[in-house]
Amino acid sequence: QVQVVESGGDLVQPGGSLRLSCAVSGITLADTAVGWFRRAPGKDREGITCIESSDGSESTVYADSVKGRFTISRDLAKNTVYLQMNRLKPEDTAVYLCAAEGDCRRADFGTWGQGTQVTVSS
């Protein structure tokens, strides 16, 4: 059974940083794409970044809204994916969700976590 569990959400001031973790079990990271999504109040779910192995090489993709500020990475030994969030803005406030068992092109994932709350406010 594949499971993903997010952690690390917190209250942070504008301009601050935060690192989220996505612990994956039931499948090795080398065999699945992992994506980060967010759902802000009153808005649809937004895909923000994704990481996968493509032809033996690591591949990443970012939404324009987070390019240059957020970085996705993975630790294969720990089977964990991270989302480093820098220069946070109030509009980044959302529930952040991690998903596995899919691909970055279609963003069609079979297993989702419960989400972790990130609040950016002064």
Side-chain angles (χ1 to χ4, degrees), residues 29-33 51-54 57-59 72-77 80-82:
L29 292 185
D31 294 331
T32 183
I51 188 168
E52 66 183 349
S53 295
S54 181
S57 181
E58 184 178 284
S59 178
I72 189 171
S73 63
R74 63 184 183 178
D75 186 329
L76 298 182
T80 299
V81 175
Y82 303 97

Side-chain angles (χ1 to χ4, degrees), residues 39-98:
R39 185 175 60 250
K43 297 183 178 180
D44 293 333
R45 186 179 64 201
E46 175 191 16
I48 56 175
T49 185
C50 190
I51 188 168
E52 66 183 349
S53 295
S54 181
D55 297 324
S57 181
E58 184 178 284
S59 178
T60 59
V61 62
Y62 296 90
D64 289 340
S65 59
V66 304
K67 284 181 180 177
R69 298 189 299 121
F70 291 9
T71 303
I72 189 171
S73 63
R74 63 184 183 178
D75 186 329
L76 298 182
K78 295 182 178 180
N79 229 49
T80 299
V81 175
Y82 303 97
L83 180 64
Q84 180 65 47
M85 310 164 68
N86 298 325
R87 306 199 309 280
L88 284 162
K89 306 174 181 178
E91 52 262 45
D92 293 320
T93 295
V95 173
Y96 284 72
L97 304 112
C98 183

